[in-house]
Amino acid sequence: MKVVKFGGTSLASGEQLEKVFDIVVSDENRRIIVVSAPGKRFSKDIKVTDLLIATAQAWLEGSEDEDLFQAVVNRYRSITESLGMGDEVIERITADLLELLKGDRSNPEQFMDAIKASGEDNNAKLVAAYFRHRGIEASYMNPREAGLIVSSEPGNAQVLPESYEKLSRLREHRGILIFPGFFGYTTDGRVMTFPRSGSDITGSILANAVKADLYENYTDVDAVFSVNPMIVDKPKEIEVLTYREMRELSYAGFSVLHDEALIPAFRAGIPVNIKNTNNPSSPGTMIVSEKEDTNGPVVGIASDNDFCSIYVSKYLMNREIGFGRKLLHILEELNLSYEHVPSGIDDLTVILRQNQMDHEREQIIVERIKNELDADEVKVEHNLSLIMIVGEGMRSNVGTMARASRALADKGVNIEMINQGSSEVSMMFGVKEAQEELAVKALYEAFFTEMPV
């Protein structure tokens, strides 16, 4: 059995849905299909999820915006009309969405989650109706009925362990199941969404639950690229990745797969195949537990920006018991989450997302660290980019750090910070945002276009 997930661009129009249909029916093992909400049809289009967020916000503010409501319904209608389907499914979508909008708004976060989730939920109803329209036995499956139980965290739901046994019964279901991604239900029946792009997570959970032979994730690219194609022209495609490599690359900026999506599949040892809806004959990228190191020490380079750093220096810091804990406790009290903490003997640096830091909060942090920890120096650096080079082969390859540092130095890139994970699968460099693209290109040349020295 295969679990197959299709992203928003794969379901953005009637033409795309026809491609999805052809892919699914071409292999009888594709029996559980996870769908996203319709995405962009062209570059300046608006995703259905974004339309729903705007609609929910308007209704929360007391403006029952008819134009936004109709804009959502019309996106679904444009798909059914282009495919020659009747009005029955559109009437159901219209009624279901209107019922949600007129529901309880006393908890804005809960209301927003329910409206956002309707994008996937209604699209699953539409996709199932289209498959039946084409003569295929297919049915819409509601996550609550299936047993997808999640924690009560709006926008950040986590699957609960008891879900897996309930969901395992989906193996026994006849025909093709169309399952909406992105959300589940709490034990008391409330809708909660996963983080954005969470349909990937739904697919991975179902693959684990039904012990699928393969989890196929269809998107709009032929494979995972070794670097962002917006930075490097025609980068190398990656044929095989390990779960750890993909997790590191996703965290560091690769947008092909949500960085939390692999965890359920990884735990069950289920391989994941990233494929292109518009070019299904392409083999795509396989993500597996283990692979032979045939790609050299580095398999991919990812980057992300909008970080800042808090640098703290104190003589004999290494002898002071509890210094790091006290520093992180200050951040916790100010409700700040951090990403990395590279350290030396007498100094350490905390890396965090810059959007958490305003001028007032920054001043408070600096003063508290100086006063409470008696630090010699506290300095905040803004507008940093983190560049991650990833590869299982780095663990057995000598000189990777030197090779990367030399490549950056040769291009005049100043390294603000270096950190290597304890797994030795990744290596991170902090640079100024203005030098991000230059740094990525330099590293790509060093590891993918130059012959090893």
Side-chain angles (χ1 to χ4, degrees):
M1 174 185 284
K2 295 178 182 179
V3 172
V4 190
K5 179 259 175 178
F6 290 94
T9 55
S10 299
L11 297 160
S13 66
E15 180 185 3
Q16 290 298 100
L17 181 48
E18 286 184 295
K19 295 176 185 178
V20 167
F21 176 86
D22 291 339
I23 289 168
V24 172
V25 299
S26 68
D27 186 342
E28 62 181 13
N29 292 313
R30 293 182 175 125
R31 289 178 43 209
I32 299 178
I33 313 302
V34 178
V35 300
S36 297
K40 290 186 177 183
R41 296 160 293 185
F42 44 86
S43 61
K44 293 185 178 181
D45 199 11
I46 302 175
K47 297 178 180 179
V48 164
T49 301
D50 291 326
L51 286 172
L52 286 166
I53 291 171
T55 304
Q57 193 61 49
W59 282 61
L60 283 170
E61 293 170 358
S63 171
E64 299 183 357
D65 195 308
E66 180 67 20
D67 289 341
L68 280 171
F69 171 75
Q70 287 300 329
V72 174
V73 173
N74 287 339
R75 282 297 305 275
Y76 295 107
R77 180 177 283 113
S78 69
I79 295 172
T80 59
E81 287 182 348
S82 69
L83 296 171
M85 298 171 63
D87 293 334
E88 183 179 350
V89 68
I90 293 301
E91 290 171 358
R92 181 181 179 186
I93 288 172
T94 302
D96 289 351
L97 178 55
L98 194 57
E99 181 181 358
L100 285 174
L101 287 168
K102 290 184 175 181
D104 183 8
R105 286 172 253 172
S106 60
N107 184 331
E109 281 191 324
Q110 173 63 62
F111 178 77
M112 180 64 76
D113 255 26
I115 302 303
K116 285 192 299 183
S118 73
E120 278 73 11
D121 198 45
N122 284 325
N123 207 30
K125 297 165 190 172
L126 189 158
V127 172
Y130 176 64
F131 273 62
R132 292 193 296 271
H133 176 72
R134 294 286 300 271
I136 298 296
E137 183 180 7
S139 55
Y140 155 79
M141 176 58 69
N142 180 272
R144 186 178 187 182
E145 180 185 342
L148 180 49
I149 310 301
V150 299
S151 61
S152 182
E153 300 171 81
N156 193 40
Q158 305 295 310
V159 63
L160 298 185
E162 57 263 36
S163 295
Y164 290 101
E165 182 179 353
K166 299 176 188 296
L167 293 168
S168 68
R169 299 169 194 152
L170 296 178
R171 288 189 65 94
E172 303 162 9
H173 206 281
R174 286 174 51 85
I176 294 172
L177 285 181
I178 310 297
F179 201 106
F182 189 36
F183 73 98
Y185 284 82
T186 62
T187 52
D188 58 354
R190 291 173 296 134
V191 171
M192 292 287 161
T193 63
F194 296 121
R196 192 74 184 263
S197 302
S199 293
D200 293 336
I201 300 174
T202 302
S204 188
I205 291 168
L206 295 182
N208 177 310
V210 302
K211 298 298 180 281
D213 301 305
L214 181 67
Y215 171 33
E216 293 182 317
N217 194 299
Y218 277 82
T219 180
D220 55 0
V221 293
D222 279 350
V224 178
F225 294 108
S226 55
V227 72
N228 186 344
M230 300 295 289
I231 297 177
V232 175
D233 186 42
K234 297 180 180 178
K236 180 182 176 183
E237 294 180 2
I238 305 173
E239 295 180 2
V240 183
L241 281 166
T242 65
Y243 288 115
R244 283 188 297 186
E245 289 172 333
M246 189 68 229
R247 172 76 170 91
E248 297 273 3
L249 290 169
S250 296
Y251 162 77
F254 273 35
S255 60
V256 173
L257 198 63
H258 192 280
D259 65 345
E260 294 181 23
L262 289 175
I263 296 172
F266 164 72
R267 287 174 177 160
I270 296 166
V272 179
N273 193 187
I274 307 296
K275 292 177 69 71
N276 189 351
T277 304
N278 301 313
N279 185 20
S281 62
S282 173
T285 298
M286 287 294 297
I287 305 171
V288 297
S289 297
E290 296 180 358
K291 68 180 176 76
E292 294 182 8
D293 293 327
T294 57
N295 297 315
V298 175
V299 72
I301 301 165
S303 65
D304 200 4
N305 54 32
D306 200 31
F307 291 93
C308 66
S309 67
I310 305 170
Y311 171 80
V312 183
S313 176
K314 184 178 182 181
Y315 185 59
L316 297 180
M317 181 191 293
N318 65 313
R319 296 188 186 180
E320 187 171 334
I321 295 173
F323 187 91
R325 177 186 58 79
K326 294 172 187 175
L327 172 59
L328 295 179
H329 184 64
I330 291 173
L331 299 184
E332 180 183 357
E333 288 188 337
L334 292 168
N335 200 32
L336 294 171
S337 63
Y338 68 92
E339 305 289 323
H340 305 276
V341 189
S343 63
I345 299 172
D346 292 327
D347 53 38
L348 61 79
T349 301
V350 181
I351 308 296
L352 59 159
R353 293 281 178 179
Q354 191 163 258
N355 59 10
Q356 302 179 90
M357 292 274 280
D358 54 31
H359 180 67
E360 181 181 355
R361 187 173 287 186
E362 181 178 322
Q363 286 185 315
I364 293 170
I365 290 169
V366 171
E367 288 303 314
R368 286 193 62 178
I369 294 173
K370 284 182 177 178
N371 296 333
E372 297 175 28
L373 303 182
D374 195 25
D376 298 325
E377 182 182 5
V378 182
K379 184 170 60 175
V380 179
E381 289 280 347
H382 290 279
N383 302 319
L384 294 177
S385 290
L386 299 186
I387 300 170
M388 194 89 77
I389 61 175
V390 176
E392 297 273 4
M394 290 196 294
R395 296 196 295 177
S396 58
N397 189 277
V398 177
T400 304
M401 177 71 77
R403 191 169 162 191
S405 300
R406 183 170 63 248
L408 294 173
D410 287 347
K411 296 293 185 180
V413 176
N414 185 46
I415 301 173
E416 303 288 332
M417 176 198 60
I418 297 175
N419 191 31
Q420 181 164 15
S422 57
S423 68
E424 299 182 14
V425 173
S426 65
M427 194 177 296
M428 185 187 69
F429 297 89
V431 303
K432 288 292 188 182
E433 284 185 4
Q435 291 193 303
E436 178 184 345
E437 288 198 11
L438 179 62
V440 170
K441 289 176 180 177
L443 291 169
Y444 184 80
E445 288 176 7
F447 289 101
F448 292 97
T449 64
E450 295 178 359
M451 293 299 293
V453 178

